[in-house]
Amino acid sequence: MNIRSAASSGRDEGRPSRQINIVLRNHDTPAVSGTSAINESSASRNSAQIGLFQEIGSELDALVGLDNIKELVFEIYALLQVAQMRTDAGLASGAQAYHMVFKGNPGTGKTTVARIVAKLFQRMGVLSKGHLIEVERADLVGEYIGHTAQKTRDLVKKALGGILFIDEAYSLARGGDKDFGKEAIDTLVKAMEDHRSQFVLILAGYSSEIEYFLMSNPGLPSRFPIQVEFPDYTIDQLVQIAELMAKERDYILMPQAILKLKQHVMLEKDESPHAFSNARYVRNAIEKAIRSQAVRLLNQYEHNSPGKQELMTLRTEDFKL
């Protein structure tokens, strides 16, 4: 689905049917009586929100792959739009949390998508600030009894009005019942209840380990109605990401350099004993090639400066993989 074009049309014609299984967090606003009054009061807001999704859609379209994530974000947007229409018509809009679990290997876009979701929620009135607080185990777990609960509560307080994003969340459950990580989990569960409509909690990590983490506390699975899988990128998608990363820095890759990078990424992805880091891996490869190019150019042009095209070009010999 091309989200950008779907959002810009402002109509339902040609839009595929979708089952939306997320329920709006309600912001009580008075109903407007009368069909014409509803239409008049909603027109300007709907126009602004369609413009918002054009902006969000542009950010999503710029991301390589992630079709299921783009579909989910559109569902949330559609739900919020329709829920506002229901409120304007005097119909009930239920209240439920938007806490999420992002499952997948490193470098698959989880943090980037979390930032986009935060912006959408803020602009649609679900969150008052829409900021993202990104933390890991060390930020939550203290050194003595009671310290962890206080650190966790302080971070939740900072996240109010926005999103608390916990990367590698499964690490909180690794130490068992006697580990301070369990205290952090218990504190988070309580905060999700105490501040139900004031922040969104997103847990991120490897798929299998996140599943184990969710089972560490009986209250966790039911508190995350949105669970999304971030698949690994294909080889062609990774090459496309590498070219985009180079372009953002005003570099271009020679065809043979692209082929060399593609072959290397294919080998690394198939044979690495560790979880492949996807976009992070190709970003590191591009940055390493840029450093190699700098050394090559200094050695090649000792007494003059290379031309603009040469400054921009990453060659096969620059990729020392």
Side-chain angles (χ1 to χ4, degrees), residues 110-138:
K110 296 186 290 293
T111 305
T112 300
V113 170
R115 292 193 181 105
I116 293 174
V117 168
K119 181 187 295 186
L120 175 65
F121 281 169
Q122 189 273 326
R123 301 281 286 277
M124 296 291 288
V126 178
L127 296 173
S128 59
K129 298 178 182 177
H131 61 299
L132 183 77
I133 304 293
E134 185 177 355
V135 301
E136 55 188 18
R137 177 188 164 94

Side-chain angles (χ1 to χ4, degrees), residues 136-138 141 166-175 179 181-182 185 204 209-210 213:
E136 55 188 18
R137 177 188 164 94
V141 176
I166 305 179
D167 199 12
E168 298 183 359
Y170 49 81
S171 62
L172 294 172
R174 278 180 174 168
D179 184 71
K182 184 178 185 301
I185 296 170
E209 294 186 318
I210 278 287
F213 168 77

